[in-house]
Amino acid sequence: MDSNEREPVEQAVPSPVASPVPPSGTAPSGTAPSGAAPRAPGIAGLSTPYRVLAAVALGAIATAACAHLAFVFLHVAPSNTVSKRHAATIDDWIYPEFEQNWKLFAPNPLQQNIAVQVRTQVRTAGGELTTSDWRDLSAEDGAAIRHDPLPSHTRQNELRRAWDFFTGSHDDDNKPNGERGELSEAYLRRIALDRLAGMRGGGDRVVRIQLRSATTAVAAPKWSEERTDTRTYYRELPWWTV
């Protein structure tokens, strides 16, 4: 019987494409080689000798950090049996780099600008001895941190604390009061020489250095009736042989 209907034609089904076979001895991308466990992240993925080395290094760092915090705590805490018994050890660790003080919160905070300056006597390559002009180290520190949102702690405090350390351990004639005075001299000299490094000629040699402070009182505000002497006063230290 004739009919306009036709039997549906079976569509050809594409034969599956075989996936590429990786070379012998290799694993597909993203998988670990056959028989090998995936590597653990972090220290656990290191070999045993390196894990031991990393553990020892982390332990040493943690021990040093805890010891430093303990020394600082004993230094700033009220006097007690432990701090009295180990006072010498605590002072050796704290001074001069880690000294703590409360001057910012004192009833009468500092009202002076104190600038530390240095000059040198240099032996030139020709044998001539010359004396340099005064160089304002405090002004250089101020210029380095001004307008800096993250100023260096060293630039802010190293020189200032070194000078406070020196004046607090010396009398008005610049004579040291015991061993701390000698330590403060060596510390201040080391800072000055470090700042002067690279500032002289190739054949020049620094023979002696001299430091001084320039102290100027902060002027009273305009609305105050207080009268302040704003003249600059200098305190010169003796020449130190390098």
Side-chain angles (χ1 to χ4, degrees):
M1 177 175 180
D2 295 337
S3 173
N4 294 329
E5 295 181 359
R6 298 180 180 179
E7 293 183 2
V9 180
E10 293 185 1
Q11 297 181 353
V13 178
S15 60
V17 178
S19 59
V21 178
S24 177
T26 62
S29 176
T31 63
S34 177
R39 178 178 175 180
I43 297 178
L46 301 176
S47 61
T48 300
Y50 285 104
R51 287 203 302 269
V52 173
L53 183 61
V56 171
L58 292 175
I61 294 173
T63 301
C66 292
H68 174 70
L69 292 176
F71 281 130
V72 172
F73 172 78
L74 292 173
H75 175 68
V76 301
S79 181
N80 55 72
T81 304
V82 177
S83 62
K84 289 179 180 178
R85 180 176 300 177
H86 303 285
T89 303
I90 294 172
D91 288 347
D92 289 343
W93 178 263
I94 292 296
Y95 294 107
E97 281 86 357
F98 306 118
E99 182 182 3
Q100 309 291 317
N101 67 83
W102 300 97
K103 285 187 176 181
L104 178 63
F105 307 100
N108 186 23
L110 293 176
Q111 298 180 356
Q112 298 172 325
N113 289 322
I114 303 176
V116 180
Q117 303 171 349
V118 65
R119 64 176 178 176
T120 62
Q121 282 189 345
V122 177
R123 182 77 65 182
T124 64
E128 182 182 0
L129 188 65
T130 60
T131 302
S132 68
D133 295 329
W134 289 102
R135 176 178 169 183
D136 196 331
L137 301 180
S138 297
E140 294 176 3
D141 286 352
I145 66 177
R146 190 171 292 114
H147 307 304
D148 187 348
L150 298 173
S152 165
H153 178 78
T154 301
R155 283 291 189 182
Q156 293 181 78
N157 298 300
E158 182 184 53
L159 182 62
R160 178 182 61 84
R161 295 300 303 128
W163 184 259
D164 288 345
F165 184 26
F166 178 88
T167 56
S169 58
H170 285 71
D171 58 21
D172 293 337
D173 295 326
N174 299 320
K175 295 182 179 179
N177 300 323
E179 294 182 359
R180 288 193 61 196
E182 298 175 359
L183 176 62
S184 68
E185 288 184 12
Y187 183 50
L188 190 59
R189 184 187 301 113
R190 186 171 75 239
I191 292 175
L193 290 174
D194 182 64
R195 302 290 180 87
L196 294 169
M199 299 298 296
R200 55 186 183 274
D204 297 345
R205 180 173 61 88
V206 175
V207 179
R208 297 195 302 171
I209 63 173
Q210 184 182 29
L211 288 98
R212 74 175 182 182
S213 64
T215 304
T216 307
V218 177
K222 296 180 180 179
W223 47 261
S224 174
E225 297 180 355
E226 181 182 355
R227 295 293 179 266
T228 307
D229 181 6
T230 57
R231 290 178 296 178
T232 301
Y233 293 89
Y234 297 94
R235 175 179 177 176
E236 290 190 3
L237 305 186
W239 284 96
W240 289 338
T241 301
V242 177

Short mmCIF file of all heavy atoms in Angstrom, two decimals, residues 10 13-14 36 43 50 52 76 100 114 124 129 168 178 217 220 227:
data_model
loop_
_atom_site.label_atom_id
_atom_site.label_comp_id
_atom_site.label_asym_id
_atom_site.label_seq_id
_atom_site.Cartn_x
_atom_site.Cartn_y
_atom_site.Cartn_z
N GLU A 10 17.92 5.45 9.96
CA GLU A 10 18.81 5.35 11.12
C GLU A 10 20.05 6.24 10.90
O GLU A 10 20.69 6.16 9.88
CB GLU A 10 19.24 3.90 11.31
CG GLU A 10 18.11 2.99 11.71
CD GLU A 10 18.62 1.59 11.98
OE1 GLU A 10 19.87 1.41 11.87
OE2 GLU A 10 17.83 0.71 12.32
N VAL A 13 25.96 6.55 13.88
CA VAL A 13 26.55 6.86 15.20
C VAL A 13 28.06 6.96 15.03
O VAL A 13 28.68 6.01 14.52
CB VAL A 13 26.20 5.78 16.22
CG1 VAL A 13 26.86 6.09 17.56
CG2 VAL A 13 24.69 5.66 16.36
N PRO A 14 28.62 8.14 15.38
CA PRO A 14 30.09 8.26 15.21
C PRO A 14 30.82 7.28 16.09
O PRO A 14 30.44 7.04 17.24
CB PRO A 14 30.37 9.72 15.63
CG PRO A 14 29.22 10.09 16.51
CD PRO A 14 28.04 9.34 15.97
N ALA A 36 53.26 6.29 43.07
CA ALA A 36 53.90 7.34 43.86
C ALA A 36 52.84 8.18 44.56
O ALA A 36 51.87 8.60 43.94
CB ALA A 36 54.76 8.23 42.96
N ILE A 43 56.48 21.97 55.00
CA ILE A 43 57.65 21.25 55.52
C ILE A 43 57.47 19.74 55.42
O ILE A 43 58.45 19.01 55.24
CB ILE A 43 57.91 21.68 56.97
CG1 ILE A 43 58.25 23.18 57.02
CG2 ILE A 43 59.05 20.88 57.58
CD1 ILE A 43 58.47 23.71 58.42
N TYR A 50 66.05 17.61 55.62
CA TYR A 50 65.61 19.00 55.53
C TYR A 50 64.51 19.29 56.55
O TYR A 50 64.40 20.42 57.06
CB TYR A 50 65.14 19.33 54.12
CG TYR A 50 66.27 19.49 53.14
CD1 TYR A 50 66.56 18.49 52.22
CD2 TYR A 50 67.06 20.64 53.15
CE1 TYR A 50 67.62 18.63 51.32
CE2 TYR A 50 68.10 20.80 52.26
CZ TYR A 50 68.37 19.79 51.35
OH TYR A 50 69.42 19.95 50.47
N VAL A 52 64.32 17.94 59.51
CA VAL A 52 65.04 18.10 60.78
C VAL A 52 65.70 19.48 60.87
O VAL A 52 65.63 20.17 61.89
CB VAL A 52 66.08 16.98 60.94
CG1 VAL A 52 66.95 17.23 62.18
CG2 VAL A 52 65.40 15.62 61.04
N VAL A 76 61.21 46.09 82.09
CA VAL A 76 60.20 47.13 82.31
C VAL A 76 59.30 46.83 83.51
O VAL A 76 58.61 47.73 84.00
CB VAL A 76 59.33 47.31 81.05
CG1 VAL A 76 60.17 47.71 79.87
CG2 VAL A 76 58.55 46.04 80.72
N GLN A 100 64.08 50.52 77.02
CA GLN A 100 62.69 50.99 77.06
C GLN A 100 62.59 52.16 78.04
O GLN A 100 63.28 52.19 79.06
CB GLN A 100 61.77 49.85 77.54
CG GLN A 100 61.94 48.55 76.77
CD GLN A 100 61.46 48.67 75.35
OE1 GLN A 100 60.40 49.24 75.10
NE2 GLN A 100 62.22 48.14 74.41
N ILE A 114 66.90 68.68 70.09
CA ILE A 114 68.31 68.35 70.27
C ILE A 114 68.82 67.71 68.99
O ILE A 114 68.32 66.66 68.57
CB ILE A 114 68.53 67.41 71.46
CG1 ILE A 114 67.97 68.05 72.74
CG2 ILE A 114 70.01 67.08 71.63
CD1 ILE A 114 68.05 67.14 73.96
N THR A 124 94.50 62.94 54.32
CA THR A 124 94.34 62.76 52.89
C THR A 124 95.43 61.85 52.34
O THR A 124 96.40 61.50 53.04
CB THR A 124 94.37 64.11 52.17
OG1 THR A 124 95.67 64.70 52.34
CG2 THR A 124 93.31 65.04 52.72
N LEU A 129 96.37 66.83 56.98
CA LEU A 129 95.32 66.63 57.98
C LEU A 129 94.31 67.77 57.85
O LEU A 129 94.65 68.94 58.03
CB LEU A 129 95.91 66.61 59.38
CG LEU A 129 94.95 66.22 60.52
CD1 LEU A 129 94.49 64.77 60.34
CD2 LEU A 129 95.62 66.40 61.88
N GLY A 168 73.13 60.34 79.82
CA GLY A 168 72.69 59.77 81.09
C GLY A 168 73.77 59.01 81.82
O GLY A 168 73.59 58.69 83.01
N GLY A 178 81.30 54.91 85.23
CA GLY A 178 81.36 53.46 85.26
C GLY A 178 81.36 52.83 83.88
O GLY A 178 81.59 53.48 82.86
N ALA A 217 65.39 75.32 72.74
CA ALA A 217 64.09 75.16 73.39
C ALA A 217 62.96 75.46 72.41
O ALA A 217 63.08 76.32 71.54
CB ALA A 217 64.00 76.08 74.60
N ALA A 220 57.34 79.05 73.12
CA ALA A 220 55.98 79.00 73.67
C ALA A 220 54.97 79.45 72.62
O ALA A 220 55.30 80.23 71.72
CB ALA A 220 55.90 79.90 74.90
N ARG A 227 57.75 83.15 78.52
CA ARG A 227 58.90 83.61 77.75
C ARG A 227 59.94 82.50 77.72
O ARG A 227 60.35 81.99 78.77
CB ARG A 227 59.49 84.88 78.36
CG ARG A 227 58.55 86.08 78.30
CD ARG A 227 58.33 86.51 76.86
NE ARG A 227 57.40 87.64 76.77
CZ ARG A 227 56.10 87.53 76.57
NH1 ARG A 227 55.56 86.32 76.42
NH2 ARG A 227 55.33 88.61 76.51
#
